[in-house]
Amino acid sequence: MEMELLGRLEAAVARLEALAAAGSRSAAASFDLADAAATDPAILAIDDLMSGSLARVSAAAGKIGGQVLEVTKIVEEAFAVQKDLLVKAKQCQKPDTMGLQEFLKPLNEVILKASALTEGRRSDYFNHLKAAADSLTALAWIAYSGKDCG
Protein backbone atom coordinates (compact mmCIF):
# COMPACT_ATOMS: atom_id res chain seq x y z
CA MET A 1 0.00 0.00 0.00
CA GLU A 2 2.80 2.42 0.91
CA MET A 3 4.70 1.58 -2.28
CA GLU A 4 1.59 2.30 -4.35
CA LEU A 5 1.05 5.65 -2.65
CA LEU A 6 4.72 6.51 -3.04
CA GLY A 7 4.60 5.64 -6.75
CA ARG A 8 1.50 7.76 -7.30
CA LEU A 9 3.04 10.67 -5.41
CA GLU A 10 6.24 10.47 -7.44
CA ALA A 11 4.26 10.39 -10.68
CA ALA A 12 2.23 13.43 -9.64
CA VAL A 13 5.36 15.35 -8.63
CA ALA A 14 7.02 14.48 -11.94
CA ARG A 15 4.02 15.79 -13.88
CA LEU A 16 3.94 19.01 -11.88
CA GLU A 17 7.67 19.55 -12.31
CA ALA A 18 7.36 18.99 -16.06
CA LEU A 19 4.61 21.60 -16.28
CA ALA A 20 6.42 24.10 -14.10
CA ALA A 21 9.75 23.73 -15.90
CA ALA A 22 8.48 24.15 -19.43
CA GLY A 23 5.37 26.25 -19.01
CA SER A 24 4.82 26.11 -22.75
CA ARG A 25 2.28 24.46 -24.96
CA SER A 26 4.72 21.67 -25.82
CA ALA A 27 5.01 20.84 -22.11
CA ALA A 28 1.25 20.60 -21.90
CA ALA A 29 1.29 18.20 -24.86
CA SER A 30 3.92 15.99 -23.23
CA PHE A 31 1.93 16.11 -20.00
CA ASP A 32 -1.11 14.86 -21.89
CA LEU A 33 0.96 11.98 -23.32
CA ALA A 34 2.27 11.04 -19.89
CA ASP A 35 -1.22 11.30 -18.44
CA ALA A 36 -2.62 9.13 -21.22
CA ALA A 37 0.10 6.54 -20.63
CA ALA A 38 -0.69 6.54 -16.90
CA THR A 39 -4.27 5.51 -17.63
CA ASP A 40 -3.31 2.85 -20.17
CA PRO A 41 -4.40 -0.69 -19.19
CA ALA A 42 -0.87 -2.09 -19.65
CA ILE A 43 0.61 0.54 -17.33
CA LEU A 44 -2.13 0.02 -14.78
CA ALA A 45 -1.58 -3.75 -14.93
CA ILE A 46 2.14 -3.47 -14.24
CA ASP A 47 1.39 -1.03 -11.41
CA ASP A 48 -0.98 -3.62 -9.91
CA LEU A 49 1.65 -6.34 -10.28
CA MET A 50 4.30 -4.19 -8.63
CA SER A 51 2.08 -3.08 -5.76
CA GLY A 52 0.63 -6.54 -5.22
CA SER A 53 2.69 -9.64 -5.89
CA LEU A 54 6.07 -7.95 -6.16
CA ALA A 55 5.49 -6.02 -2.94
CA ARG A 56 4.70 -9.27 -1.11
CA VAL A 57 7.85 -10.89 -2.48
CA SER A 58 9.87 -7.85 -1.41
CA ALA A 59 8.41 -7.99 2.09
CA ALA A 60 9.35 -11.66 2.42
CA ALA A 61 12.85 -10.98 1.06
CA GLY A 62 13.23 -8.20 3.62
CA LYS A 63 12.67 -10.76 6.36
CA ILE A 64 15.27 -13.11 4.86
CA GLY A 65 17.80 -10.38 4.05
CA GLY A 66 21.25 -10.87 2.53
CA GLN A 67 21.57 -11.93 -1.07
CA VAL A 68 17.87 -12.72 -1.34
CA LEU A 69 17.02 -9.13 -0.50
CA GLU A 70 19.71 -7.91 -2.90
CA VAL A 71 18.36 -9.90 -5.86
CA THR A 72 14.79 -8.89 -4.98
CA LYS A 73 15.77 -5.23 -5.13
CA ILE A 74 17.21 -5.90 -8.60
CA VAL A 75 13.95 -7.58 -9.63
CA GLU A 76 12.06 -4.50 -8.39
CA GLU A 77 14.42 -2.31 -10.40
CA ALA A 78 13.81 -4.45 -13.49
CA PHE A 79 10.05 -4.05 -13.18
CA ALA A 80 10.44 -0.28 -12.71
CA VAL A 81 12.56 -0.16 -15.88
CA GLN A 82 9.93 -2.28 -17.66
CA LYS A 83 7.25 0.22 -16.66
CA ASP A 84 9.37 3.12 -17.94
CA LEU A 85 9.85 1.29 -21.23
CA LEU A 86 6.11 0.70 -21.53
CA VAL A 87 5.43 4.40 -20.99
CA LYS A 88 8.08 5.31 -23.60
CA ALA A 89 6.66 2.75 -26.03
CA LYS A 90 3.24 4.38 -25.72
CA GLN A 91 4.74 7.78 -26.52
CA CYS A 92 6.92 7.00 -29.55
CA GLN A 93 7.06 5.00 -32.74
CA LYS A 94 8.80 1.66 -33.16
CA PRO A 95 12.57 2.21 -33.44
CA ASP A 96 14.88 0.59 -35.99
CA THR A 97 17.22 -2.23 -34.94
CA MET A 98 19.90 0.07 -33.51
CA GLY A 99 17.28 2.21 -31.84
CA LEU A 100 15.71 -0.88 -30.31
CA GLN A 101 19.03 -1.89 -28.78
CA GLU A 102 19.39 1.57 -27.27
CA PHE A 103 15.76 1.49 -26.11
CA LEU A 104 16.30 -1.83 -24.30
CA LYS A 105 19.70 -0.90 -22.85
CA PRO A 106 18.39 -0.03 -19.34
CA LEU A 107 16.61 -3.38 -19.11
CA ASN A 108 19.67 -5.25 -20.35
CA GLU A 109 21.83 -3.54 -17.72
CA VAL A 110 19.51 -4.64 -14.92
CA ILE A 111 19.42 -8.21 -16.25
CA LEU A 112 23.23 -8.27 -16.38
CA LYS A 113 23.36 -6.95 -12.81
CA ALA A 114 21.15 -9.83 -11.65
CA SER A 115 23.22 -12.36 -13.60
CA ALA A 116 26.40 -11.05 -11.98
CA LEU A 117 25.07 -12.17 -8.60
CA THR A 118 25.15 -15.80 -9.77
CA GLU A 119 28.78 -15.71 -10.86
CA GLY A 120 31.72 -16.77 -8.74
CA ARG A 121 31.49 -18.92 -5.64
CA ARG A 122 28.08 -20.49 -5.13
CA SER A 123 26.24 -19.28 -2.07
CA ASP A 124 23.56 -21.05 -0.05
CA TYR A 125 20.98 -19.08 -2.04
CA PHE A 126 22.43 -19.81 -5.49
CA ASN A 127 19.26 -21.47 -6.82
CA HIS A 128 17.15 -18.51 -5.73
CA LEU A 129 19.57 -16.02 -7.26
CA LYS A 130 19.77 -17.99 -10.51
CA ALA A 131 15.98 -18.34 -10.77
CA ALA A 132 15.47 -14.60 -10.25
CA ALA A 133 18.22 -13.65 -12.70
CA ASP A 134 17.04 -16.06 -15.40
CA SER A 135 13.40 -15.05 -15.04
CA LEU A 136 14.16 -11.39 -15.79
CA THR A 137 14.78 -12.23 -19.46
CA ALA A 138 11.01 -12.70 -19.71
CA LEU A 139 10.70 -8.92 -19.42
CA ALA A 140 12.24 -8.63 -22.88
CA TRP A 141 8.80 -9.40 -24.34
CA ILE A 142 8.50 -5.68 -24.92
CA ALA A 143 10.93 -6.07 -27.85
CA TYR A 144 8.81 -8.73 -29.58
CA SER A 145 7.77 -7.61 -33.02
CA GLY A 146 6.49 -10.81 -34.57
CA LYS A 147 3.46 -11.40 -36.74
CA ASP A 148 0.43 -9.22 -35.93
CA CYS A 149 2.36 -7.32 -33.28
CA GLY A 150 2.28 -3.55 -33.02
Side-chain angles (χ1 to χ4, degrees), residues 13-24 27:
V13 168
R15 286 186 220 133
L16 290 172
E17 287 175 344
L19 283 176
S24 67

Side-chain angles (χ1 to χ4, degrees), residues 24-143:
S24 67
R25 185 176 181 138
S26 63
S30 69
F31 175 75
D32 289 342
L33 283 174
D35 195 40
T39 60
D40 186 270
I43 307 300
L44 294 174
I46 200 164
D47 280 339
D48 288 344
L49 179 69
M50 290 173 70
S51 65
S53 300
L54 188 56
R56 287 192 301 275
V57 169
S58 297
K63 293 176 184 174
I64 297 169
Q67 288 181 315
V68 173
L69 179 60
E70 187 178 353
V71 77
T72 303
K73 292 208 177 289
I74 293 173
V75 170
E76 288 176 328
E77 182 182 353
F79 275 90
V81 167
Q82 179 79 11
K83 181 182 174 184
D84 290 343
L85 293 178
L86 281 171
V87 170
K88 288 178 186 176
K90 297 289 181 181
Q91 297 173 348
C92 64
Q93 294 182 353
K94 180 181 172 184
D96 60 1
T97 305
M98 291 303 294
L100 184 61
Q101 289 177 355
E102 188 64 30
F103 180 75
L104 294 173
K105 188 175 182 180
L107 184 61
N108 289 335
E109 289 172 353
V110 175
I111 292 171
L112 289 174
K113 189 188 312 183
S115 294
L117 289 177
T118 64
E119 296 172 358
R121 188 167 176 253
R122 288 189 176 202
S123 73
D124 292 340
Y125 298 107
F126 175 79
N127 289 337
H128 302 287
L129 301 175
K130 184 73 171 158
D134 289 350
S135 67
L136 291 181
T137 58
L139 295 178
W141 66 265
I142 196 165

